[in-house]
Amino acid sequence: MTPAGTPHTARAADLVRHLERRSTDELVDLLVQRPDLAVPAPASLGALAGRALTRSSIDRALADLNSRQLAVVEALCALSRVEHPSAPRLAAALELAVGDVEEVLDVLAQRALIVEGRPVLTLAEACGPYPAGVGPPLDPPQSPAQLAQTLAEASPEARHVVSALAQGSPVGLLPEAAAESNPGPAEATRWLLERGLLHRLDDERVVLPLEVGLAQRDGRLPPGRSLHPPDPPGANSSAEHVAASAALQAEEFVRLTAELLASWENQPPQRLRAGGLPSRELRRAAAALGLELGQAAVVIETAATAGLIAPGGRTDADFVPTAGAMEWAAREAGEQWAQLVAPWSSSPRAAWLVGSRDDRGTLRAALSADVERGWVPRLRRRFLRTLAHLPEGSAPDSAELREILAWHAPRAPVSEESLAAVAAEAELLGFTGGGALSPAGRLILQEGAAHAELAAALEGALPPRVDELIIQGDLTGIVPGRPTAQLAKLLADAAEVESRGGGLTVRFSADSLRRAIELGRATVADELRAHSITPLPQALEYLIADAVRDYDTFRVGAAGSYVSARDEAAAQELLARGELGPARLQAVSPTVLVSPLAPHHLATLLREAGVRPLLDEEPPAPGPTTTTRRTAPAPANVVNSGPDRDALTDLVGRLRRAEAQVGAMAPGHIVALLREAATAAEVVSVVMAEAGGHHRTRLLRPLTVIAGRARMEDPAAGTEVTVAVHRIASVTSVPPPPRERIAE
Amino acid sequence: MTGGPLIVQSDKTILLEVDHPQAETARRAIAPFAELERAPEHIHTYRLTSLGLWNARAAGYDAEQIVAALIDHARYPVPHSLLVDIADTVGRYGRLRLLDHPSHGLILDTSDVAVLEEVVRTKEVAGLVGQRIDDTTVAVHPSERGHLKQVLIKLGWPAEDLAGYVDGEAHAIELDESGWELRPYQLEAIDGFWHSGSGVVVLPCGAGKTLVGAGAMARSQATTLVLVTNTVAARQWRAELLARTSLEPAEIGEYSGARKEIRPVTIATYQVLTTRRQGAYPHLELLDARDWGLIVYDEVHLLPAPIFRMTANLQARRRLGLTATLVREDGREDEVFSLIGPKRYDAPWRDIESQGYIAPARCLEVRFTLPEADRLAYATAERTDRYRLAACAPGKDDIVASLVARHEGEQILVIGQYIDQLNELAARLDAPIITGATTVPQRERLFAAFRGGEIPVLVVSKVANFSIDLPEATVAIQVSGAFGSRQEEAQRLGRLLRPKEQGRTAQFYTVVTRDTVDQEFASHRQRFLAEQGYSYEILDAEDLSAR
């Protein structure tokens, strides 16, 4: 069997040269598109090439290809076994437009998957034994004319066998030998095997060689992957409707977050010893916000990701709003939303796992490490990108969405549950309205989108704020739209909210009005009148008057000390004394005066004025208020800037210099060269570190490279050595003397 | 986003701006599926409920029409989740259907095998259905038709009842429209009911519910059983039916504590039906005494629990519920829905008032302050005694007297809860009193004298809350009530809403003791009427006596 490495696959050295020839910008693009290559930073371009050739990196790169790109990759790998296929040849084999194929080849070259139209070795391996559903090349080779002639001589039975294997899988089972009733298939198979038009795989199976299949299908590959994206679903609603409903939801999400922070400020939830939020605290938060548990978990996780919540309190036993949360609370709604949701697409937090059980049956808690998944950011970005490619306003249902996602990344299957969860999150956060991406949601995808742009997109989509209030005889008040901040605050203080949504309805009650007065709104009636477009109903006027009257009975103020006089005359006398001016005495009743001074100061002042007061026992000094702010460090304010191109440009610069300075080889590069030599059955010159620390160069033929160990054959001595890859310093190819070419 | 008059809230309420130019169109568009919850002066509140949506589905509306009605008239975008929820809810109705099968009799049939499987496996349903006929059908015993519907609604899979109704024993009944005719809304109500076969019509007091009943009887042309709250109401029904229909006295029977007549049209009281003797209901046979074609439930919001149970067995007969308010203090609106039927007609009180069919009314709350000594007594009283103390404060007598003096020459009702208080008031005002202890003939005599104008002031206890026609009363003074009962307040106001001569405005006074639970209860009671658009004016008792 011909090895996967043929003259038509690119070798590691080709890839290194390819990388060296790329411009800095192109290399940065490569690192952006295959982020795993840059982390941790490779030491040289050789190391970069080595890493790019590892199977895991190739698999990741394949996971990012869409169905058409994969079809081209597979066609390329299949045809490369016998030729160096040109774009038109691939286009003909796939029945695609040449332009489309060229476009795909550009992408593949950009991602270092092909070099000069040839697939890198690992890519050819990753495509499996039968890429694009075709078999290995003919062995021994036959010229097309020869092949055509043999095929022409074939019996109808034999042609039937060839045709069947050319349509689907190239592998077939050998027919039952000498089935007497019907000897045809066995006879045909034997005939084909004899002429090399079928290869025997093992005792039971045969495989149709590549060229035979192609000849049978007039040079075309069997139909496999779908080459064209599924038709996008039509627009379900207008772009304005999407923008507006997503924006309302975004505003609601900000409100929910603010409410959560306020609630946790007053009563911080405990933290589990293992980290994470106890489920009773999650239930409490959900009840306070009027949400389902899953939605509450999203609110909590999002707030934490945005740095508004962190472990705090004494010994970090609680979760508390951070100092950043205070700044956040003071911002405009648009800014608040931007800060909250910007990190979403790059956050690995999978809030939908909260409340599910792990393998040991333990509940996964919110804010714990158990709900972190590395693949989540990729899924979120794929979700957003997929929606962004659809026409504006189109809202695919979950089946359609899965179909589209499957076309865009067939090698990265998505579980139905996670996709539904991500879609639900996007809706809750206000990226989508009714399942269609909003303009603000599109912005999130844009690299370097500033918070201000997001905020502006949101504000632009929201209906204008309303400053009017309609108060009715049944003691309800209605704001027919989004209330202004001032009106919203007034109503939050003076009434109970009955419903939210397009408008705001509130109910005034004796309790709510008392609360308003307690909060310092003694003139709540006037404030309401200022906003109300109707006169206040008489019932409300009475209700307010009753509430105010309740509060007239007692008053509280600040005083540092008091003077209690035996009678009114004595008190009046003190008030009249000019030299007691600094005491700023005030009568709070006919015989009691108060002063802002501390008691012993006041007593001294009085004594100096010739009055002899008795000092009542001094009360203990009030301690510091118990509401000391717990602050927790806020993480850096993450902006979705996308990958940092500047840093990557620096990295590329370093890689180039490193390549120029040292010829030393990175382990990845060494492995790539060894594997390449193994597949090609070539002898290479290997420099190895010996036990004593000195280097020794040997000519060896690598056999396998598995789990960090290379098994190699010394062709001169006829012995085998197994060496740990990290002991190999370098591998260089040796131009083989023509006579010594090692046969398979 | 049309700038329309509707604002959709996330808690499934819909706000309708009444003064918006498109308000009427929007109201018509949403009325079939949204329940009017509050109708104060500027913004009406509707609510989307499962019952309401199923009701609309039953009337032939589909989810698409409902969603379109909301989107077309909404000022702001309607939350997508709400629309999805509506579609889901609507889709649950009608997957199960009750049908009359030619060979198997009553069957439960489904278009969705999974749903049928789900429900027949529940223990609630298992006992109510019979043999499985095939994948999509299961037999139902006719006697379980009502129970099954009740249970299915609780499971969230309401069955569409297409099993039809028996026609009952035919009996000719015609409306006698000489000198009067049915009002347009009454006709709509009758049509709405007749079209669907059973259900509830909600009309304000004084809007002529009896005539809707009579109209329904004329449509059904069958023997009818009318269930009413008490004997006086029964006699009023009888008088009204004699005056407005072709029925002769011999055709109408009264089945009450006093008489047990069973005639083609029989009027029975709830009380007699629910009388128990040795654990059994001896008068239950009335329900089977004739092959009734129609059963009318007057004041359906008061329907006692045993009647619900009896009604469950009457699902094959047409049922009409009449009420001024579906608010039940016991919260059993769902049972009314599943056993009598969905609401078939409803109109806001103010609309009917503005059309001149019921008298306009002014509601006034007179607040008086307890004297210092009484305040102390109140403050130190046991919690359970506080309402009685506050409601029966002696100071109220003076206020009532001054109010009566203020309306001299008008027909005045004084309504209260506590008999002692009413007795004192009666003595003070020198007026006759009607309480539960008053005999029926005596009651009728007093009511007649009041109607005739011979008695200007009548003191009544809660026996007069319902179904008593006193069109001449123009003033009512309420001195105490049943704690915070909203429907009682509405019913009491209802006594005043029969149209008056020369379109006079009725006055409805409530005397309330300031800063006590009396005031709290009063505000709770007033909520229903305030939500119906009646604003309360507050008067200080001190100002009243000064004037």
Side-chain angles (χ1 to χ4, degrees), chain B residues 109-153:
Chain B
D109 165 273
T110 186
S111 53
D112 188 339
V113 182
V115 173
L116 187 64
E117 282 296 335
E118 180 193 323
V119 300
V120 297
R121 274 158 202 270
T122 59
K123 65 172 191 303
E124 295 95 327
V125 171
L128 301 178
V129 295
Q131 224 169 0
R132 191 71 177 257
I133 295 163
D134 56 38
D135 268 2
T136 60
T137 326
V138 60
V140 178
H141 193 274
S143 66
E144 302 297 355
R145 182 167 162 186
H147 292 137
L148 183 61
K149 283 198 288 186
Q150 250 177 311
V151 167
L152 289 177
I153 259 198

Side-chain angles (χ1 to χ4, degrees), chain A residues 437-452:
Chain A
L437 196 60
S438 74
R442 273 169 216 276
L443 266 180
I444 285 282
L445 275 175
Q446 247 174 52
E447 281 173 27
H451 281 182

Side-chain angles (χ1 to χ4, degrees), chain A residues 24 28 31-32 38 643-653:
Chain A
T24 301
V28 170
L31 296 181
V32 169
D644 185 348
R645 289 190 74 93
D646 288 344
L648 290 178
T649 309
D650 286 350
L651 173 60
V652 169

Side-chain angles (χ1 to χ4, degrees), chain A residues 241 244-245 434 463 470 472-474 476 478 480-481 498-503 505 507 534 538-539 542 546 549, chain B residues 1 7-11 13 15 38 40-43 75-77 80 367 515 519 527 530-531 536-538 540:
Chain A
H241 183 86
S245 56
I470 301 164
Q472 315 197 89
D474 63 349
T476 57
I478 286 140
E498 286 217 318
S499 73
R500 299 177 187 279
T505 67
R507 178 174 291 279
T534 51
Q538 195 203 17
Y542 266 74
D546 284 353
R549 200 153 39 82
Chain B
M1 264 176 297
I7 296 176
V8 182
Q9 299 289 80
S10 39
D11 67 346
T13 53
L15 310 178
R38 299 203 291 260
E41 53 270 45
H42 307 295
I43 308 263
R75 182 168 311 170
Y76 306 112
H80 182 72
R367 287 193 188 174
D515 293 337
Q519 188 180 326
R527 190 160 151 187
E531 286 170 356
Y536 276 77
E537 266 175 68
I538 300 172
D540 285 316

Side-chain angles (χ1 to χ4, degrees), chain B residues 370-405:
Chain B
L370 277 179
E372 202 72 26
D374 292 345
R375 269 184 69 185
L376 198 66
Y378 173 80
T380 53
E382 287 290 321
R383 191 162 281 275
T384 45
D385 294 337
R386 284 190 168 185
Y387 178 66
R388 191 187 172 87
L389 262 179
C392 301
K396 284 192 176 178
D397 294 1
D398 292 339
I399 296 163
V400 174
S402 73
L403 286 173
V404 167

Side-chain angles (χ1 to χ4, degrees), chain A residues 188-414:
Chain A
T189 312
R190 193 186 50 77
W191 189 87
L192 289 167
L193 280 169
E194 277 171 5
R195 279 156 189 77
L197 297 193
L198 271 185
H199 294 174
R200 193 182 265 272
L201 271 181
D202 49 37
D203 287 349
E204 290 172 350
R205 298 178 307 157
V206 291
V207 64
L208 186 73
L210 166 67
E211 293 93 331
V212 186
L214 284 178
Q216 175 68 25
R217 296 182 50 83
D218 296 329
R220 291 191 307 272
L221 290 165
R225 301 188 178 279
S226 116
L227 298 172
H228 302 281
D231 285 335
N236 311 43
S237 41
S238 72
E240 299 94 72
H241 183 86
V242 170
S245 56
L248 284 177
Q249 183 52 47
E251 200 185 35
E252 173 70 4
F253 190 75
V254 169
R255 188 189 68 75
L256 289 170
T257 306
E259 211 163 281
L260 175 80
L261 294 177
S263 145
W264 283 15
E265 176 75 30
N266 291 331
Q267 204 183 336
Q270 278 181 1
R271 193 164 162 249
L272 291 172
R273 211 171 296 162
L277 188 71
S279 61
R280 69 166 182 284
E281 294 289 358
L282 177 64
R283 283 197 300 276
R284 178 167 74 91
L289 300 179
L291 294 177
E292 286 162 25
L293 290 184
Q295 294 174 319
V298 174
V299 174
I300 292 169
E301 286 286 350
T302 311
T305 308
L308 305 182
I309 300 170
R314 260 175 294 167
T315 68
D316 281 1
D318 297 338
F319 284 105
V320 293
T322 61
M326 301 303 126
E327 292 164 27
W328 179 84
R331 299 212 169 94
E332 283 287 309
E335 285 272 323
Q336 288 181 324
W337 183 69
Q339 190 184 338
L340 257 185
V341 302
W344 182 72
S345 64
S346 48
S347 157
R349 308 290 304 173
W352 59 89
L353 294 177
V354 171
S356 62
R357 290 183 185 273
D358 63 16
D359 299 339
R360 284 167 301 160
T362 320
L363 272 182
R364 297 190 176 98
L367 302 177
S368 73
D370 296 342
V371 294
E372 200 149 311
R373 295 288 181 276
W375 45 265
V376 170
R378 267 203 310 282
L379 174 59
R380 288 196 174 124
R381 279 194 289 264
R382 277 177 63 198
F383 168 79
L384 289 174
R385 232 177 278 141
T386 306
L387 285 186
H389 282 134
L390 300 178
E392 265 188 51
S394 80
D397 62 27
S398 64
E400 287 169 329
L401 194 59
R402 269 165 67 79
E403 192 190 338
I404 299 169
L405 276 179
W407 190 87
H408 280 284
R411 302 262 298 207
V414 177

Side-chain angles (χ1 to χ4, degrees), chain B residues 209-224:
Chain B
K209 286 192 291 291
T210 313
L211 291 183
V212 173
M217 288 157 73
R219 282 293 169 89
S220 72
Q221 292 288 329
T223 51
T224 303

